[in-house]
Amino acid sequence: MPFIVVVFNIIQWLIAPYLIDSIYRVKQVNPSEDPVLYNMVENLSQKSKIKTPKLMKAKMAIPNAFAYGSPLTGSKVAVTTGLLETLDPDEVEAVIGHELGHLKHRDVQVMMFVSILPAIFYYIGYSMLLSSMFNRRDRDSGGAAIIGLAAILLYWVLTLFTLYLSRIREYYADRHSVSIVDGGASKLSEGLAKIVNSTSNMKSRNRQSKNAGGSSSFKALFISDPDRAEVDAAELRYLGGSMGDRKLVEEVLRRKITTFDKIMEVFSTHPNIVKRLHALQQLD
């Protein structure tokens, strides 16, 4: 029954923070443990006009950050140890501003509810196709198969819409960071470039790494998709260097997105890195 699908998704949303904490070895950070980082989150939360979320650290070499939570756990913002080692403090600030944008816009809840409808159509389609296969002598089996295929098609269409909405929410979170962090556009651009390049290098050095492999389980939460890191890094290398170079910024603004880039982006939870940096530069 579709009702079961809805209940399952709600339960998944409620317990997801516990799974995330376990998978990524996340621990809460007290103010005395890292006062600078804690004050950063607190100040940016005040600027965002939201309640200060729990500050968490994930013991992961890959530099990244994510916002999550549920009514059972409250809101949380997590940064990885790799992020703190890779980025400068002002870049970390811009990344945290992005994550607070997700909390302010209630993106965790929005994406949870949006994902329910594709799941329902998948369940209906799968059930109808199975019914038509096991009841071939039934006159209605052909109709059931058609309904099943139509439901599966709707599932794919709605899934693509969900991915599109996820990408839009990333742009909104970027914009929020720029609105609360001084010089946020350039800081976040540089931070994203470092995240992409560092993640790409790690995955290239050790594709079997435990941290690299486990980073994909909840990749939609991350500020940058680790599975796209090598593709995104190639885009940045094509543009000619590090994000600190003004010439690179000019090249980003002139870079045209190819048809292949657009196709690949359709199936991604995150925007194309060049489009994303271009959008940030327009906000600068």
Side-chain angles (χ1 to χ4, degrees):
M1 294 175 60
F3 175 74
I4 297 177
V5 176
V6 175
V7 171
F8 176 79
N9 275 267
I10 293 175
I11 293 175
Q12 184 182 40
W13 168 48
L14 293 174
I15 67 173
Y18 300 107
L19 298 177
I20 292 169
D21 288 347
S22 176
I23 292 173
Y24 299 132
R25 293 180 289 175
V26 179
K27 300 294 182 183
Q28 186 169 354
V29 179
N30 296 320
S32 58
E33 295 175 333
D34 196 332
V36 174
L37 186 62
Y38 188 89
N39 289 335
M40 185 184 294
V41 173
E42 193 171 46
N43 292 335
L44 290 177
S45 297
Q46 291 176 357
K47 289 183 178 180
S48 302
K49 298 181 180 179
I50 62 172
K51 182 180 178 181
T52 303
K54 297 176 183 176
L55 174 60
M56 318 295 287
K57 274 187 185 178
K59 194 174 182 181
M60 291 174 59
I62 289 180
N64 228 306
F66 47 98
Y68 63 114
S70 75
L72 298 180
T73 63
S75 298
K76 300 181 178 183
V77 166
V79 295
T80 68
T81 51
L83 183 86
L84 299 177
E85 293 168 359
T86 304
L87 269 57
D88 296 333
D90 55 348
E91 295 162 353
V92 173
E93 182 184 23
V95 168
I96 290 175
H98 170 97
E99 298 306 329
L100 292 178
H102 281 308
L103 294 180
K104 183 176 180 64
H105 302 148
R106 299 186 181 277
D107 288 336
V108 176
Q109 294 92 323
V110 169
M111 296 310 300
M112 189 278 294
F113 283 111
V114 169
S115 65
I116 288 178
L117 198 55
I120 290 175
F121 276 104
Y122 180 81
Y123 173 83
I124 293 173
Y126 187 72
S127 299
M128 296 300 284
L129 288 175
L130 282 180
S131 176
S132 66
M133 289 173 60
F134 288 102
N135 296 282
R136 292 180 180 177
R137 295 181 181 180
D138 196 323
R139 294 180 179 179
D140 296 330
S141 62
I146 293 174
I147 294 173
L149 290 172
I152 293 296
L153 178 61
L154 277 172
Y155 156 75
W156 280 108
V157 171
L158 290 170
T159 297
L160 292 178
F161 171 75
T162 301
L163 292 172
Y164 168 75
L165 184 61
S166 176
R167 295 192 298 272
I168 292 297
R169 310 306 288 187
E170 291 299 322
Y171 283 122
Y172 287 162
D174 285 350
R175 184 180 290 272
H176 178 77
S177 179
V178 173
S179 72
I180 63 172
V181 177
D182 293 335
S186 60
K187 291 176 182 178
L188 187 56
S189 295
E190 293 171 9
L192 285 170
K194 287 184 178 181
I195 289 171
V196 165
N197 283 320
S198 179
T199 303
S200 174
N201 292 335
M202 288 181 185
K203 291 173 79 72
S204 296
R205 285 197 303 265
N206 189 358
R207 296 180 183 277
Q208 303 302 320
S209 167
K210 181 178 179 180
N211 283 337
S215 65
S216 301
S217 302
F218 291 90
K219 66 180 182 179
L221 296 172
F222 294 150
I223 189 172
S224 177
D225 182 354
D227 286 347
R228 282 186 53 89
E230 291 174 282
V231 175
D232 289 342
E235 292 278 8
L236 292 174
R237 283 194 292 271
Y238 176 86
L239 293 173
S242 65
M243 282 305 299
D245 192 341
R246 284 190 177 184
K247 183 178 179 181
L248 173 61
V249 174
E250 294 171 0
E251 289 294 330
V252 172
L253 295 174
R254 288 197 295 265
R255 175 79 162 94
K256 291 185 178 181
I257 306 299
T258 66
T259 301
F260 178 76
D261 292 333
K262 293 177 180 178
I263 293 173
M264 290 297 294
E265 188 183 36
V266 168
F267 300 98
S268 175
T269 57
H270 290 67
N272 173 281
I273 186 64
V274 177
K275 287 179 63 177
R276 192 171 179 183
L277 296 181
H278 186 87
L280 280 168
Q281 294 304 313
Q282 291 179 327
L283 296 174
D284 194 358

